[in-house]
Amino acid sequence: MSYPNSETDLTSEAMPDPEALTHRIEFTSKRIQYSDATKPCATCRRSHKNALAHAEPGVVVPPEPVCTYDEATTTHASTHDGPKSRYERLENRINELESLLRQQDDGTGQSPPQQHTPASVGSSIAHSPQNPLPTASNSPTSTENTFVNVPPLQYSAMPSTTMSDPVLMGAASAFPPPYPNLPPAADPLPTVISHPPHQVPTPPQEDMGFLFELLWPSWPARLPPPDLLHHLVDVFFNVHPHANRILHRSTFQAALSLSPTSPDFPRLCVLHAICAAASFYTTLVRQPPLPDWQKQPYKLIFRRLNDEPSFGELHARYAHEAQGEAVQAGHIFETVQSDVILSWFYFTHGKWVEVWVASGDAIRNTIPLGLHLTDPTTSFVRGGKRITLLPPAKDSVEDETRRSTFWLAYAVERFQAVGNGWATSVDDKSISQTFPALLDNFQRGIGVPLKGRQRMNSKDILTYHPVDQTDSFTLYVKSSILLSRVKNFNSSFPLNQEALDSLAAPDQHPQHVDPRSTAEFQKIEAQIWAFRLNVPNHLRNPIVNNTVDGHLLAAYFTQYTSIILLHNPHTDHRDITCVSTQKILTAVRGTLEYVYALCNTSFDLTLLDPSISTSFLMAATEIIRIARARKEAGLMEEALSMRNDFDVIKYAMSRMAERLPIAARHVAMIDRSLEEFEAPVGAVMGAIEDFENACRTDVQGAAADTFVPFHTYAILQDATTPN
């Protein structure tokens, strides 16, 4: 058989007769044979002759050949019509089929199965009923969780040539749609939908059968199907507060459009971590329902009694397992990104041991990569160079991605350290990294020279904020440095025997030295209060016209949280003249100012950084301690006023608790504090002793058996202090 070898061969004379090609033979063989358009055709005559010659005894062979073929639907002349006429015939045929489907739909009352293609990813979210945000008349403690929509999904990464193949689409019609509830594009801005997450089944990948393997033969088995993965990635970038800093969106999505076998395809550990973090914000995956705090023992407030892992927990486990493969392949930086994202996931769940391990791994792994230094090749030793496992960055985008990843690892490690008494993993004195570039420059890929930029060891980084180098994320990072300095002082000062001896009076025991009289304490406190004095004017208010800047709000909440942490060990709430109590009360009132502003907006508080829930918890704990002290002193009017402020903080936390488990647990904790406020003094002290013994869980058990952070014992310390 000859094949055309040039463009001149591809003519109508060189092609077979189109009518002859339509005549198919359906004989005893299972093969499809083609005839010469005669009746009967030569193939059937040969087959009939062979059957007569070799017929077995008892087998009746028809006297004439039986030739079956498709009748030509058009004349021979019409087959040579131009493409326009052929398209018209196809459109007419499609209209006929659609008409038949509509008639069938009217007759059965059921809609035909929807094909799961990128172009038809449904329309349920855009038309789903909307739940209003909680108001004074709409209780924030509703058990029905609300989730946000995301902007329209981009499915350019899907193999469009395959999905548009009519043969494959015809084969796909024989199978049920894999995701009947998959939503399509939504409004550009996040809105709220009313489907509780635990009522939406997780679509299993194996249900797609061989069709999935046919369309995506090299797709990793543990990853969600491509359309669900793209949805989760879009959700992650659209609603997570830090997503656009740890990854460059356009670069990452371009890599995600490649084949999974490509070396530039994103690492699996990062993709699994994104699936876990994004699972909070979509109804397409199942979320475990929050426990009933009335039935679950209070000592298990941070434990999950259900052993069945959720979608997010399963992919967090997959991310950890994929990290080993990434390290072996030399992709250590991607494991740092994965650990940071997993730290956010664990923090949101209140899994304190897991977040301590993940954040510690992330910040420690930045050291051999040289991410803690502005220039890792610079050496302080003559003739030597620092060793880094990372090659030089290819461009400014990769360089800023590394820098932002380090600061996010630093921030999450410092924020989680608030909840325990352990030392931080990396000392601030060993860090000399430059602060991140402005978000607009990072997203547009504009390189910013390192010369003149502030870095960790620059002077007055906490009190001086250059306009051309500062945005809300920069202040967020600097606020974590405030927490770090408070944390280091509180944990190291009692151990500094030399400083204690030098400060102690001749007749005073070193352990009785008041840290508030030291120069270091006063310096840290002055830096905290001066943090916002030189903030650029456009960054002074995080809430403007119903719009909330999450990073800026978290930075200002952290400023007040730092004051509470600094003075908490030295306060006496029963003494109205106590300086530390007055400063804590000032910090609580500063927190309340933003809480009131938040409650007056329709902003979805579940989109805020989960560290804000910790700030709410500490402010609520302190104000209820002070209110109880005022109540015991007979100042009922002041105590009731503080009690009302407590309710406002609880309301804001309840709005966060609609989606974030850590906020739901914090609400349960402050409810217990409120019970202690309402109870008589003697009963309160007895309940506090029981609570303190119950909360000291054995940390050496399973990782899920986490303990309550030490700052939540503030109310216990006050009640058990002897008069």
Side-chain angles (χ1 to χ4, degrees):
M1 182 176 182
S2 62
Y3 293 90
N5 54 12
S6 67
E7 294 183 0
T8 58
D9 293 328
L10 300 176
T11 62
S12 60
E13 291 75 16
M15 297 296 292
D17 188 350
E19 182 176 301
L21 292 178
T22 64
H23 293 262
R24 293 184 303 169
I25 307 301
E26 298 178 5
F27 200 64
T28 57
S29 174
K30 293 183 179 180
R31 297 177 301 168
I32 296 178
Q33 302 174 353
Y34 295 92
S35 74
D36 55 0
T38 62
K39 298 181 180 181
C41 65
T43 303
C44 289
R45 292 196 299 271
R46 287 194 302 270
S47 299
H48 183 261
K49 183 179 180 180
N50 182 67
L52 288 174
H54 301 87
E56 298 181 0
V59 177
V60 179
V61 179
E64 297 296 333
V66 179
C67 185
T68 305
Y69 54 89
D70 295 338
E71 295 292 343
T73 57
T74 58
T75 63
H76 181 77
S78 64
T79 58
H80 297 284
D81 293 343
K84 182 177 180 180
S85 61
R86 290 198 295 271
Y87 290 150
E88 291 177 352
R89 290 196 302 274
L90 289 175
E91 290 177 356
N92 293 334
R93 182 59 177 164
I94 291 174
N95 293 333
E96 293 176 4
L97 293 175
E98 289 178 349
S99 177
L100 290 174
L101 288 175
R102 283 193 294 269
Q103 293 176 4
Q104 181 182 3
D105 187 17
D106 295 338
T108 61
Q110 297 178 357
S111 59
Q114 179 184 357
Q115 296 301 326
H116 189 58
T117 65
S120 66
V121 178
S123 59
S124 58
I125 281 189
H127 303 287
S128 61
Q130 304 286 323
N131 270 354
L133 288 169
T135 60
S137 60
N138 187 8
S139 173
T141 59
S142 172
T143 58
E144 178 172 323
N145 293 337
T146 56
F147 285 73
V148 299
N149 282 333
V150 298
L153 308 185
Q154 302 297 327
Y155 289 96
S156 59
M158 306 233 178
S160 57
T161 55
T162 304
M163 294 300 293
S164 60
D165 192 329
V167 177
L168 292 179
M169 291 308 299
S173 64
F175 299 91
Y179 306 118
N181 296 324
L182 187 65
D187 298 333
L189 295 177
T191 55
V192 181
I193 59 178
S194 60
H195 303 293
H198 57 277
Q199 294 183 2
V200 180
T202 303
Q205 175 173 323
E206 52 270 15
D207 288 351
M208 301 185 69
F210 76 91
L211 183 60
F212 183 89
E213 297 178 0
L214 180 65
L215 298 179
W216 298 283
S218 58
W219 193 257
R222 286 182 166 180
L223 279 182
D227 46 5
L228 180 58
L229 178 64
H230 280 257
H231 173 75
L232 292 172
V233 170
D234 285 338
V235 168
F236 180 69
F237 280 113
N238 286 325
V239 302
H240 198 280
H242 309 307
N244 289 283
R245 281 293 187 169
I246 197 170
L247 296 169
H248 188 256
R249 181 169 188 170
S250 59
T251 302
F252 185 83
Q253 291 187 327
L256 191 61
S257 67
L258 302 175
S259 169
T261 58
S262 171
D264 295 328
F265 190 76
R267 304 275 77 81
L268 294 183
C269 58
V270 176
L271 291 176
H272 284 300
I274 289 176
C275 290
S279 64
F280 290 107
Y281 307 100
T282 178
T283 61
L284 296 189
V285 297
R286 179 178 297 132
Q287 290 290 340
L290 292 174
D292 186 353
W293 305 118
Q294 302 298 327
K295 299 180 180 179
Q296 182 166 337
Y298 195 71
K299 65 180 180 179
L300 302 180
I301 192 171
F302 281 91
R303 297 190 191 182
R304 271 198 52 199
L305 302 181
N306 186 7
D307 295 331
E308 181 182 358
S310 65
F311 177 89
E313 291 168 336
L314 194 62
H315 280 276
R317 183 189 307 169
Y318 292 159
H320 280 298
E321 296 175 1
Q323 285 177 355
E325 301 176 1
V327 171
Q328 293 178 358
H331 301 290
I332 305 179
F333 175 69
E334 285 77 3
T335 65
V336 175
Q337 291 180 309
S338 175
D339 274 325
V340 173
I341 299 174
L342 289 176
S343 299
W344 301 337
F345 173 77
Y346 292 136
F347 198 108
T348 307
H349 267 293
K351 294 179 176 292
W352 300 116
V353 171
E354 289 93 332
V355 70
W356 179 78
V357 172
S359 63
D361 286 344
I363 193 65
R364 284 191 297 270
N365 286 336
T366 62
I367 304 303
L369 298 180
L371 299 180
H372 64 303
L373 305 173
T374 299
D375 184 4
T377 62
T378 302
S379 173
F380 297 105
V381 181
R382 181 177 298 179
K385 285 192 174 181
R386 293 186 181 273
I387 299 176
T388 174
L389 301 180
L390 277 181
K394 299 177 183 178
D395 50 31
S396 61
V397 170
E398 184 175 357
D399 185 47
E400 287 298 334
T401 301
R402 294 177 178 181
R403 185 170 292 108
S404 296
T405 299
F406 168 78
W407 283 116
L408 286 169
Y410 175 90
V412 71
E413 202 267 346
R414 264 44 179 182
F415 279 114
Q416 68 83 27
V418 174
N420 58 64
W422 304 325
T424 54
S425 300
V426 176
D427 189 5
D428 287 352
K429 296 180 180 179
S430 63
I431 300 173
S432 64
Q433 180 59 273
T434 307
F435 289 117
L438 302 182
L439 179 61
D440 183 62
N441 292 334
F442 174 58
Q443 291 180 335
R444 295 167 59 185
I446 300 176
V448 181
L450 296 178
K451 185 177 180 180
R453 290 171 60 176
Q454 281 189 318
R455 59 186 65 187
M456 182 67 160
N457 53 1
S458 298
K459 184 179 180 181
D460 299 332
I461 59 172
L462 298 178
T463 57
Y464 174 61
H465 315 291
V467 177
D468 59 339
Q469 302 180 26
T470 304
D471 61 5
S472 58
F473 182 66
T474 309
L475 294 176
Y476 173 80
V477 170
K478 289 184 176 183
S479 70
S480 67
I481 299 176
L482 281 178
L483 275 182
S484 179
R485 295 190 177 182
V486 173
K487 165 81 174 181
N488 291 336
F489 178 83
N490 286 341
S491 59
S492 63
F493 182 81
L495 305 178
N496 192 344
Q497 191 62 41
E498 182 178 354
L500 292 174
D501 293 339
S502 62
L503 293 172
D507 57 345
Q508 184 183 21
H509 192 276
Q511 296 297 331
H512 295 162
V513 173
D514 188 353
R516 292 174 292 182
S517 62
T518 64
E520 184 178 1
F521 182 98
Q522 296 170 3
K523 178 182 178 181
I524 295 174
E525 183 180 10
Q527 289 175 339
I528 297 174
W529 289 119
F531 179 68
R532 286 195 294 170
L533 294 182
N534 294 318
V535 168
N537 291 331
H538 67 283
L539 296 175
R540 291 189 176 276
N541 192 355
I543 305 173
V544 179
N545 297 330
N546 208 36
T547 301
V548 179
D549 188 330
H551 283 138
L552 191 60
L553 186 66
Y556 291 164
F557 275 134
T558 302
Q559 177 191 17
Y560 296 126
T561 302
S562 300
I563 286 292
I564 296 175
L565 284 176
L566 185 64
H567 281 275
N568 179 267
H570 320 294
T571 184
D572 182 6
H573 295 85
R574 293 183 176 87
D575 184 3
I576 300 179
T577 62
C578 176
V579 175
S580 291
T581 301
Q582 295 300 324
K583 292 186 177 180
I584 287 178
L585 186 58
T586 302
V588 170
R589 286 170 177 164
T591 302
L592 278 166
E593 179 182 354
Y594 290 117
V595 172
Y596 275 103
L598 273 177
C599 293
N600 289 330
T601 68
S602 60
F603 182 78
D604 187 354
L605 302 191
T606 61
L607 303 181
L608 296 174
D609 187 273
S611 66
I612 292 179
S613 180
T614 304
S615 298
F616 288 166
L617 172 67
M618 298 185 66
T621 302
E622 291 299 324
I623 199 171
I624 207 67
R625 294 177 68 194
I626 298 174
R628 191 177 70 251
R630 298 295 192 267
K631 178 181 177 181
E632 294 174 355
L635 304 174
M636 292 302 298
E637 184 177 354
E638 188 175 355
L640 291 177
S641 176
M642 294 180 181
R643 170 70 169 77
N644 293 334
D645 291 336
F646 173 89
D647 288 339
V648 175
I649 298 177
K650 179 184 175 182
Y651 170 71
M653 293 178 67
S654 299
R655 286 175 60 175
M656 292 188 70
E658 293 172 1
R659 182 184 299 130
L660 305 184
I662 180 63
R665 286 162 170 79
H666 286 166
V667 169
M669 294 173 68
I670 64 173
D671 279 342
R672 182 61 179 264
S673 301
L674 184 59
E675 294 176 3
E676 295 162 359
F677 169 79
E678 302 290 351
V681 178
V684 169
M685 295 185 63
I688 286 173
E689 293 175 357
D690 295 339
F691 173 58
E692 183 175 13
N693 294 330
C695 286
R696 299 190 181 278
T697 323
D698 183 12
V699 184
Q700 298 178 355
D705 296 340
T706 55
F707 56 91
V708 179
F710 81 95
H711 67 257
T712 62
Y713 295 140
I715 192 170
L716 310 179
Q717 298 169 0
D718 179 67
T720 55
T721 302
N723 294 326

